Amino acid sequence: MVPSTMADLPTRDLAIDVMRGMTLALMIVVNMSISETQSYAPLLHAAWHGFTLTDAVFPSFLFCVGAALALVLEKRAGQATPALLAQVARRTALLFLCGFLLYWFPFFTVDAAGHWALRPLAEARIPGVLQRIAVCYGLAAMLVHFGGLRAAWVCSAIALPLYALLLTTFGDLTLQGNAALRFDRWLLGEAHLYKGEGIPFDPEGVLGTLPALVNVLAGTLAMATLRRLGPTPAAVWRLLGAAALAVAAGLVWNDVLPINKKLWTPAYVLVSAGIATAVLAALVALIDVHGRRGFGRVFLPFGRNTLFIYLLAEVGMSVLWLTHVQGRETMMWLYEEGFARWAGAKPGSLLFALAYTAACWAVAAFMDRQRWYVKL
């Protein structure tokens, strides 16, 4: 990662920057939720089947990645293929590495005798949020570069039915017996999977990359529509129509294979991609068509330094859980003493999350004023 000026960054799109910033803000609020019992239901993932506001966050990030990818590939259309592929490979690898190091943090452990030791790599989680973004970005970039938008449509049409077939043929739809878990156990081993579901199971596992790729391609196709038609009412209505069709198809598919974020089912892909498309259409209508350029500008600092602020927020949250004040995790001490004591459990949890988000925004706003933009 290197700091850069705005002039060094790929072609910008105000609506996408605002959407990316809104998504990051919601993600930080969601991730700072204290617990299932002390947080409001919309700020929690669906326990298994189902869909909440929180379940729209990650696929919206993937959608924004795809939209930005369309701009980058357009800008670099004349670039030699080896140079472009080298750049894509470097970004994919660095993004994956950032995700891996984030889950490996704090890297060291201290035993009862006070001896420091490196956390064993044999127990490090391999899949993750940034890792999935990295792989989907790399695959989408190569697919669209070599095959164009037609390849994006064909891949999407094949990927979702194929994934549905894999889920229903090689497992069931339970946490313990699903095909995605079986594949991850075979390929990565239980030690390298997420442990927060009661059993070793990773919601960002390898097999789910296939349908998640469609969320990225949806963003690419949506941005391609905007570039072709321009930020016009016709483009907005085209996107809203596509969004409605996607959500309707997802709800129909839900009757056969339920919406499930942790399995990333095809119904989940269609509904989440439809919602993201509708949000982009609404932002384009407000910002570009109706000229309300100031709408959503509060989110621009997040949208312009998304990766850096995401890493900062996650590392900061880890530090709050790992350190202690008065015999309690710093996270719980701040929440209980600073918010829950006077606001109550759930309101206090929300206010604490908003305060933490505001602190992250202050950093992002300072960087934006200084024109410090971090890119891979």
Side-chain angles (χ1 to χ4, degrees):
M1 294 186 293
V2 295
S4 65
T5 65
M6 282 294 287
D8 298 323
L9 293 176
T11 304
R12 310 298 297 188
D13 182 274
L14 185 57
I16 282 295
D17 280 346
V18 170
M19 182 175 176
R20 190 163 44 228
M22 292 170 61
T23 305
L24 178 59
L26 181 56
M27 176 177 276
I28 295 174
V29 170
V30 164
N31 288 350
M32 288 301 293
S33 297
I34 297 298
S35 70
E36 291 187 2
T37 59
Q38 294 165 303
S39 299
Y40 291 105
L43 299 180
L44 299 171
H45 289 292
W48 192 240
H49 298 322
F51 193 91
T52 70
L53 174 64
T54 298
D55 293 322
V57 174
F58 191 8
S60 293
F61 261 127
L62 291 171
F63 182 91
C64 291
V65 168
L69 176 63
L71 297 174
V72 172
L73 292 179
E74 178 183 340
K75 181 179 180 180
R76 304 188 184 281
Q79 186 175 4
T81 294
L84 179 62
L85 293 183
Q87 185 179 65
V88 169
R90 178 180 63 82
R91 287 180 173 173
T92 299
L94 287 175
L95 190 56
F96 193 99
L97 179 62
C98 285
F100 178 80
L101 293 176
L102 182 63
Y103 292 126
W104 197 34
F105 180 82
F107 313 131
F108 292 92
T109 59
V110 182
D111 61 22
H115 299 132
W116 291 72
L118 193 67
R119 289 183 65 193
L121 283 172
E123 300 175 4
R125 181 186 178 190
I126 294 177
V129 170
L130 291 180
Q131 294 92 313
R132 174 164 285 182
I133 293 175
V135 175
C136 288
Y137 159 77
L139 291 174
M142 289 188 290
L143 186 71
V144 177
H145 174 69
F146 287 110
L149 297 180
R150 178 174 295 181
W153 281 111
V154 171
C155 178
S156 300
I158 294 175
L160 296 185
L162 175 60
Y163 183 64
L165 180 64
L166 293 174
L167 281 181
T168 54
T169 302
F170 297 101
D172 54 37
L173 298 181
T174 66
L175 174 63
Q176 297 81 8
N178 64 84
L181 173 58
R182 292 183 176 184
F183 187 78
D184 286 338
R185 281 174 172 168
W186 169 78
L187 182 65
L188 303 175
E190 291 188 352
H192 293 295
L193 303 182
Y194 179 61
K195 307 298 193 302
E197 300 290 344
I199 65 170
F201 166 78
D202 212 301
E204 282 79 51
V206 177
L207 201 60
T209 302
L210 180 62
L213 174 61
V214 178
N215 289 94
V216 177
L217 296 175
T220 301
L221 292 168
M223 181 54 67
T225 298
L226 283 174
R227 301 300 283 182
R228 185 176 71 254
L229 300 178
T232 61
V236 170
W237 285 112
R238 181 75 61 88
L239 292 180
L240 288 175
L245 286 174
V247 171
L251 294 177
V252 170
W253 209 328
N254 177 61
D255 292 334
V256 180
L257 189 56
I259 295 171
N260 188 307
K261 186 266 180 187
K262 294 174 182 178
L263 291 179
W264 215 279
T265 57
Y268 172 69
V269 172
L270 291 168
V271 170
S272 60
I275 291 173
T277 303
V279 170
L280 177 60
L283 291 174
V284 170
L286 285 168
I287 295 171
D288 296 305
V289 176
H290 294 289
R292 298 180 183 178
R293 305 288 290 179
F295 180 83
R297 280 193 173 272
V298 67
F299 297 107
L300 285 180
F302 276 167
R304 290 171 174 167
N305 260 316
T306 308
L307 175 61
F308 180 84
I309 298 301
Y310 172 76
L311 291 172
L312 175 69
E314 290 293 295
V315 170
M317 183 177 62
S318 295
V319 170
L320 291 179
W321 280 116
L322 292 169
T323 57
H324 293 79
V325 175
Q326 297 180 351
R328 288 173 285 176
E329 295 97 341
T330 304
M331 182 89 156
M332 293 303 298
W333 183 83
L334 287 172
Y335 158 67
E336 292 171 354
E337 300 299 327
F339 298 91
R341 185 179 295 276
W342 59 271
K346 289 187 177 181
S349 175
L350 177 58
L351 290 172
F352 178 43
L354 291 173
Y356 186 83
T357 304
C360 293
W361 181 89
V363 175
F366 174 77
M367 295 178 68
D368 195 32
R369 286 195 301 271
Q370 300 299 317
R371 299 181 67 82
W372 295 344
Y373 303 101
V374 180
K375 65 174 184 176
L376 292 178

